[in-house]
Amino acid sequence: MIKEENKVSYQTLSQYLKVIADSNRLEILDLLSCGELCACDLLEHFEFSQPTLSHHMKTLRDNNLILMRKDGNKNMYRLNTEVINNLTDRLSLLSSDTVPCICEDIRKGTC
Amino acid sequence: MIKEENKVSYQTLSQYLKVIADSNRLEILDLLSCGELCACDLLEHFEFSQPTLSHHMKTLRDNNLILMRKDGNKNMYRLNTEVINNLTDRLSLLSSDTVPCICEDIRKGTC
DNA sequence: TATCTATATAGATGTTAATCTATATATGAA
DNA sequence: TTCATATATAGATTAACATCTATATAGATA
């Protein structure tokens, strides 16, 4: 049970999941887990175009999953580990039956 | 780093993530974390139509995230905790820099 | 058999989003 | 200032998918 005490909305969580549910963005995050990289280093690793990478990096940034700093004309990216850990920690609750939860909303066998 | 020793494909992982990235499916899984429920119990909890629920349950089943048994004319659903735990465990590696990894494929500063 | 409940399928629609090409902007170097 | 490199934006296209209504199927019960 993820939604303890109504603090998390499924919408919010699904928004994060949509961001990492793209295999290319997932790979970008995974590569950044080894350390900071610039966009052009990442681009060489993939087959898609530069605007496509730019689009993915913007999506990741807009959702606060990565952090960026400027270094000359390069953009240096790194994971926002705090946000990512928070996300994966929440997901780990998905198969746990921790109480209190919203399960009381469900009345079994009423149909 | 998720992809240790090339055993996991980003495609496979992203496929699972796409399934749980829908807020309604996420909520279905979360409700099932409290125990087995039939489709009609779930349906009463949501606003969408019965065919829509049927579609979501099929998606979850096809991807092996839930298990089903027949009880009369009802479908009883429960989490496939093994698969779900495997998924969340893998995701937890996303911000770790465990070696060996595929980071060697990336050559920093070649651009 | 007839009917009710539970679930599935078919087909249509609207939206989101991943990708591309073309072009613009910004930074550093000559 | 001029050019090269790095990145962003605009606009178009295509595919995926969440949802709906209508209808079919399957099981239980009378």
Side-chain angles (χ1 to χ4, degrees), chain A residues 1-3 10 14 18 21 30 33-34 40-41 44 85 88 91 94-95 97 101 103 107-111, chain B residues 1-3 10 14 18 21 30 33-34 40-41 44 85 88 91 94-95 97 103 107-111:
Chain A
M1 174 58 59
I2 294 167
K3 194 173 181 175
Y10 297 107
S14 86
K18 283 191 172 78
D30 211 26
S33 74
C34 301
C40 48
D41 281 332
E44 288 196 353
N85 286 336
T88 55
L91 274 184
L94 192 54
S95 62
D97 57 354
C101 72
C103 292
R107 289 164 302 176
K108 296 187 188 181
T110 57
C111 52
Chain B
M1 175 58 57
I2 294 167
K3 194 171 180 175
Y10 296 107
S14 84
K18 282 191 172 78
D30 210 25
S33 73
C34 301
C40 48
D41 281 332
E44 288 195 352
N85 285 336
T88 56
L91 274 185
L94 192 54
S95 61
D97 58 353
C103 292
R107 288 164 302 176
K108 297 186 189 184
T110 56
C111 53

Side-chain angles (χ1 to χ4, degrees), chain A:
Chain A
M1 174 58 59
I2 294 167
K3 194 173 181 175
E4 292 183 24
E5 297 157 18
N6 289 317
K7 281 180 190 158
V8 200
S9 91
Y10 297 107
Q11 285 286 346
T12 304
L13 195 46
S14 86
Q15 168 62 23
Y16 281 114
L17 290 171
K18 283 191 172 78
V19 174
I20 68 171
D22 178 273
S23 64
N24 287 321
R25 281 194 293 265
L26 194 59
E27 187 160 0
I28 290 167
L29 291 176
D30 211 26
L31 293 170
L32 291 179
S33 74
C34 301
E36 194 179 49
L37 287 170
C38 73
C40 48
D41 281 332
L42 286 167
L43 184 59
E44 288 196 353
H45 183 74
F46 291 99
E47 300 298 318
F48 50 66
S49 67
Q50 178 270 319
T52 296
L53 177 66
S54 184
H55 163 259
H56 285 314
M57 301 317 280
K58 177 169 167 49
T59 301
L60 289 168
R61 274 190 79 193
D62 287 349
N63 288 277
N64 213 27
L65 290 170
I66 60 174
L67 301 170
M68 194 197 84
R69 69 178 176 89
K70 284 276 187 187
D71 181 15
N73 60 350
K74 293 185 178 182
N75 289 1
M76 305 301 295
Y77 294 102
R78 64 187 187 282
L79 292 190
N80 189 344
T81 50
E82 192 177 358
V83 170
I84 291 177
N85 286 336
N86 194 285
L87 170 61
T88 55
D89 286 351
R90 275 198 194 290
L91 274 184
S92 297
L93 299 173
L94 192 54
S95 62
S96 84
D97 57 354
T98 308
V99 286
C101 72
I102 63 161
C103 292
E104 300 146 18
D105 296 353
I106 286 274
R107 289 164 302 176
K108 296 187 188 181
T110 57
C111 52

